[in-house]
């Protein structure tokens, strides 16, 4: 087996790649509007009630109609998953890993098609969608290898003693609920699903309501790669109707959740309650929101800083948990930095991502549009609007990159996750003050420090309390196996997706000792 290497991104300057992507997009456009069933125990189930998934760039365009699971279907899916668990959990690790490698090969072969689905269903630009597909492939390749290593090295971790034969094994937990967000509709869905599955668990996958079609495409790839029935059960639905029911169910052994702080905290409470017939303490793994800051130190190149901020704040319309939504700038360069960031924000072309010249696309739906525009109104009272502030939901959900200057650290737009193309800038007098302000939220996900002062970088290394700290680069774009990803405090349960410890979260260690 060759060592893991991250999947290369597509060079869209190359005309051949442009053509290949355009052909994939045209093919996918022919397939819009179809109906997709649930998949329970390998069987297609049509409930007659559907989620209508739409294109956020062109809201009249229906991407697909996906059947909705209710509580009965969750019961059936749990039964199917426990049935499949009997054999899947005992399958040799190498065979479980092979499922991931084959799925990676299938997605790689049709990568532009997967990216095209995301362009249309999530409003990702070509490049953002390509990175999402590459990350999905990375999770498959990385977790497959990680599981093989984990199983192989287990016994080497023990201290031998004479007269005993001792072994340890990382065994799976049981049946889990996989609850991903919509914003990395292939990468995060894939990573969350296959990490649990390669460890020997079986799961119910409940994709986000905004992006169920791309999740169905993953199911097709897993099936094509030979996944046995019942290992992953596809149960999209209205979380208000079946979400609490699934998470609170006595037969669910673990919950792997990625999403907002609000929903994560609610589900954590629910999962902690033991209900009659429940024989375990549920494991709860949560990766939640961020309020990520870029600190710009005295003496840093202002133009370079402004570019890094714009990339981190406005890529995919700021809809990344890692996105920069706060800038903390030293007073010596503050005014010039505000002007440069505003200039770049104003020059951003916003529109339908089918147009390759567009800088950033829409926000995902009407609810997101309302939330972000409400925060823009709040921002008008909390700071000085220097760019953007305009929005239109006539054809799609478009919001111009927006910049507020002179915002106080305790303002709402400096404290609450907006999840849109909005950045707030504040001024500080010293580097220490900058790090205090950066640490002054409930979150602790990503952060960047832009500085040429080595002492300041060393100070930030120790004092800036975030799970992913970056120096002199953007705060988005973690790579699987290179930058293990996940945050502190209200950003989650301190897990690190794409890192060497992640699979342990889906296993428990069994120790077997024989007296010789
Ligand atoms: N830390 C990370 O790695 C990471 C990565 C991506 C996104 N996020 C965060 O995710 C959020 C954006 O995603 P979102 O809008 O989909 O988040 P969300 O919290 O609204 O939803 C996340 C998932 O939870 C489901 N859900 C909602 N209520 C539920 C319930 N009662 N029972 C069961 N499931 C329920 C949703 O349907 C969705 O599948 C942002 O806060 C972002 O920062 C974090
Ligand atoms: N892992 C991604 C963010 C995932 C959350 O939205 C990044 O590093 O930018």
């Amino acid at each position: 087996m060759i060592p893991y290497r991250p999947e290369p991104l597509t060079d869209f300057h190359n005309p051949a790649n442009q053509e290949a992507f355009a052909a994939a997009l045209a093919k996918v456009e022919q397939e819009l509007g179809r109906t997709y069933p649930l998949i329970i125990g390998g069987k297609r189930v049509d409930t007659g009630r559907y989620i209508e998934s739409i294109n956020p760039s062109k809201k009249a365009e229906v991407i697909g109609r996906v059947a909705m699971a209710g509580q009965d279907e969750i019961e059936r899916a749990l039964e199917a998953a426990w049935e499949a668990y009997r054999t899947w959990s005992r399958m040799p690790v190498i065979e479980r890993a092979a499922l991931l490698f084959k799925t990676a090969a299938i997605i790689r072969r049709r990568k532009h098609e997967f990216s095209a689905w995301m362009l249309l269903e999530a409003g990702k630009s070509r490049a953002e969608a390509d990175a999402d597909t590459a990350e999905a492939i990375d999770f498959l390749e990385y977790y497959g290898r990680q599981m093989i290593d984990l199983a192989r090295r287990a016994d080497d971790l023990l201290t031998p003693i004479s007269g005993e034969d001792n072994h340890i094994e990382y065994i799976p937990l049981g049946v889990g609920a996989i609850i991903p967000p919509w914003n990395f509709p292939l990468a995060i869905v894939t990573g969350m699903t296959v990490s649990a599955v390669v460890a020997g668990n079986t799961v119910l996958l409940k994709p986000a309501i905004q992006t169920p079609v791309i999740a169905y495409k993953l199911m097709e790839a897993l099936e094509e790669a030979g996944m046995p029935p019942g290992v992953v059960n596809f149960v999209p639905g209205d979380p208000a109707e079946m979400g609490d029911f699934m998470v609170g169910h006595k037969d669910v052994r673990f919950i792997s959740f990625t999403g907002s702080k609000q929903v994560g905290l609610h589900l954590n409470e629910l999962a902690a309650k033991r209900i009659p017939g429940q024989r375990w303490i549920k494991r709860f793994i949560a990766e939640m929101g961020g309020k990520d800051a870029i600190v710009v130190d005295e003496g840093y190149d202002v133009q370079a800083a402004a570019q890094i901020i714009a990339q981190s704040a406005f890529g995919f319309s700021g809809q990344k948990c890692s996105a920069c939504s706060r800038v903390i700038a030293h007073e010596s360069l503050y005014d010039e930095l505000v002007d440069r960031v505003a200039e770049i924000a104003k020059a951003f072309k916003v529109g339908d991502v089918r147009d390759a010249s567009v800088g950033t696309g829409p926000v995902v739906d009407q609810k997101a549009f309302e939330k972000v525009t409400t925060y823009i109104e709040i921002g008008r009272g909390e700071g000085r609007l220097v760019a953007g502030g305009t929005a239109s939901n006539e054809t799609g959900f478009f919001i111009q990159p927006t910049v507020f200057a002179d915002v106080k650290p305790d303002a709402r737009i400096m404290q609450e996750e907006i999840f849109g193309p909005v950045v707030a800038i504040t001024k500080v007098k010293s580097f220490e003050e900058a790090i205090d302000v950066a640490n002054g939220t409930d979150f602790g996900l990503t952060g960047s420090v832009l500085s040429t002062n080595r002492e300041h970088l060393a100070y930030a290394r120790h004092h800036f309390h975030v799970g992913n700290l970056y120096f002199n680069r953007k705060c988005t774009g973690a790579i699987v196996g290179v930058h293990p990803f996940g945050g502190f405090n209200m950003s989650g349960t301190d897990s690190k997706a794409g890192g060497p410890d992640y699979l342990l979260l889906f296993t428990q260690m069994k120790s077997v000792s024989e007296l010789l």
Side-chain angles (χ1 to χ4, degrees), residues 294 308-315 317-319 323-325 420-423 476:
I294 294 186
I308 291 171
I309 291 163
Q311 255 188 325
S312 306
F314 306 135
S317 283
Q319 300 174 105
C324 167
S325 57
V422 180
V423 70
T476 55

Side-chain angles (χ1 to χ4, degrees), residues 261 289 291 415 439-445 488-492:
K261 174 178 118 182
K291 192 67 194 171
Q415 292 289 327
N439 285 333
T441 74
D442 285 349
F443 298 98
L445 188 45
F488 302 147
N489 296 346
M490 283 296 162
S491 292

Side-chain angles (χ1 to χ4, degrees), residues 179-184 188 206-210 237 239-240 242-244 246-247 257-264 266-267 270 287-290 320-322 367 417 419 445 485-487 491:
I179 309 178
W182 53 267
N183 71 327
F184 279 76
I188 292 184
K206 190 216 76 62
I209 213 151
Q210 297 88 342
M242 46 65 106
D244 283 15
M246 177 175 67
V247 170
F257 167 83
T258 304
S260 62
K261 174 178 118 182
Q262 188 196 5
V263 174
H266 164 68
L267 296 183
L270 196 60
E287 303 177 36
M288 310 196 304
K320 298 181 189 179
C321 56
S322 52
K367 199 170 151 208
E417 187 181 45
F419 220 56
L445 188 45
F485 188 79
S491 292

Side-chain angles (χ1 to χ4, degrees), residues 430-453:
S430 70
F431 190 74
E432 289 75 10
E433 184 190 351
I435 298 299
D436 287 346
V437 171
N439 285 333
T441 74
D442 285 349
F443 298 98
L445 188 45
T446 77
S448 287
V449 176
L450 310 183
S451 177
T452 52
N453 180 327

Side-chain angles (χ1 to χ4, degrees), residues 136 139-140 143 186-196 218 502 506:
F139 279 130
L140 289 156
Y143 290 143
L186 185 60
I188 292 184
V189 176
T190 303
M192 291 175 69
T193 305
V194 304
S195 51
L218 169 67
Y502 191 67
F506 306 98

Side-chain angles (χ1 to χ4, degrees), residues 297-379:
D297 196 10
E298 190 172 13
Y300 199 81
D301 179 326
V302 172
Q303 185 60 29
Q307 292 290 357
I308 291 171
I309 291 163
Q311 255 188 325
S312 306
F314 306 135
F316 189 36
S317 283
Q319 300 174 105
K320 298 181 189 179
C321 56
S322 52
C324 167
S325 57
R326 297 182 294 151
V327 174
I328 303 161
H330 191 268
E331 59 183 5
S332 58
L333 46 65
Y334 180 84
D335 290 336
E336 199 190 340
L337 183 72
V338 168
D339 288 349
R340 290 289 85 77
V341 175
E343 243 170 51
I344 298 174
K346 285 177 191 162
F348 252 82
K349 183 173 168 189
V350 181
D352 188 328
V353 280
R354 270 180 277 221
D355 173 354
S357 71
V358 154
T360 192
V363 296
V364 75
D365 59 11
Q366 176 65 24
K367 199 170 151 208
F369 182 83
E370 283 167 17
K371 179 179 174 197
V372 179
T373 50
T374 300
Y375 272 109
I376 290 175
E377 289 317 305
I378 293 169

